[in-house]
Amino acid sequence: MRMFSGFLSGLALALVLVLAGSSARASAPDTVDFADLTWTEIRDAIHAGDTTIIIPVGGTEQSGPYIAVGKHDVRAMILARRIARTAGHALVAPVVAYVPEGGTSPRTSHMRFPGTISITPATFRALLSDAAESFRVQGFRRVVLIGDHGGYQKDLRAVADTLNRRWLSQGAHVLYVANYYDVVPGTYSTWLRQHGHAAEVGMHADLSDTSLMLALDPALVRTQALRAAGMPTPAQGVYGGDPRQASAALGQVGADMQVAAAVAAMQHDPTGQNSH
């Protein structure tokens, strides 16, 4: 009888623990943001199969007089959330806002303007590598790198290649999604040209850049000033094209292309490992 009573007590305790775990998971917020979760919620998410972590890489740089300098950070984070939810079984790391943007002595590239923050490529690569290693040791099996700015794409690839060699026997890997960025100067720019905007497409803070920002966070665009402006120039930080006819509708096309490209890359991961 005493043995049976002990068995019932153990069974009751196990049931309480299971229910407590289920309750904790049920009460977890509906978010894919790593930073919005507690450590126990992250642990439970990993155990439940959310073993992909997306590191969105942005950058703080001048984008002409009409777009706030946090453009890349905000876009990368918003789109990373969409990618994570569409692909499934993924969380999104805090955005990387410090990236190579030019030299400081002498001041080159975007560092010639106020509003830009730059770190060296070596520092940038080390930062990403250490962050990825932090995710690996806590149970994430795949680290996905997406970058919203063109200047450091080669660094993202180098970090992925280096870590994949280092992690060969660790059961984890890095997926660098080049197409996330490449569709903007590629497929998206082609689409804009084909739809009557050939003269407005440039390289930076142009029609495409501004339209993407209007689609994702219009508060970061000084729309009224833009509409009243003359043709922007490189001296103002606008490199080619004309952003004055930018719109959220045009930007949504590009944003959808970026999400689709990233999700496709994750679903056809060349390592043969999908999101689980």
Side-chain angles (χ1 to χ4, degrees), residues 170-181:
Q170 302 293 333
H173 71 288
V174 179
L175 176 66
Y176 159 56
V177 181
N179 277 352
Y180 168 85
Y181 173 78

Side-chain angles (χ1 to χ4, degrees), residues 78-266:
I78 291 173
L79 292 176
R81 290 171 179 145
R82 285 183 54 186
I83 292 162
R85 289 192 180 278
T86 304
H89 297 285
L91 296 180
V92 178
V95 69
V96 177
Y98 300 100
V99 308
E101 293 281 6
T104 57
S105 183
R107 291 169 66 175
T108 61
S109 188
H110 294 305
M111 274 306 304
R112 294 180 294 114
F113 297 83
T116 303
I117 303 170
S118 188
I119 63 175
T120 65
T123 301
F124 178 62
R125 293 185 185 193
L127 184 156
L128 287 176
S129 296
D130 288 352
E133 181 68 11
S134 296
F135 293 125
R136 183 192 67 79
V137 299
Q138 61 193 275
F140 289 99
R141 301 294 87 193
R142 178 169 65 172
V143 177
V144 177
L145 298 178
I146 61 168
D148 210 66
H149 172 50
Y152 51 65
Q153 296 297 318
K154 63 183 182 300
D155 299 299
L156 298 184
R157 186 180 297 279
V159 168
D161 290 344
T162 299
L163 289 179
N164 282 333
R165 288 192 295 270
R166 187 183 303 167
W167 291 355
L168 273 175
S169 61
Q170 302 293 333
H173 71 288
V174 179
L175 176 66
Y176 159 56
V177 181
N179 277 352
Y180 168 85
Y181 173 78
D182 289 346
V183 297
V184 175
T187 309
Y188 179 43
S189 289
T190 298
W191 184 90
L192 288 170
R193 291 186 180 98
Q194 290 172 343
H195 287 77
H197 299 286
E200 298 160 59
V201 175
M203 296 178 61
H204 175 75
D206 65 338
L207 177 82
S208 64
D209 218 358
T210 309
S211 293
L212 284 166
M213 201 70 256
L214 286 169
L216 298 176
D217 191 345
L220 269 62
V221 180
R222 308 300 183 252
T223 308
Q224 186 174 353
L226 176 63
R227 301 296 185 231
M231 181 70 170
T233 68
Q236 295 174 286
V238 180
Y239 303 151
D242 184 352
R244 291 176 295 175
Q245 299 304 312
S247 71
L250 290 175
Q252 194 59 58
V253 174
D256 290 345
M257 287 180 178
Q258 288 189 277
V259 171
V263 171
M266 292 168 66

Side-chain angles (χ1 to χ4, degrees), residues 57-59 61 69-77 101 148-149 209:
V57 185
E61 65 177 25
V69 299
K71 169 193 75 179
H72 284 308
D73 301 330
V74 171
R75 287 206 317 233
M77 195 67 192
E101 293 281 6
D148 210 66
H149 172 50
D209 218 358

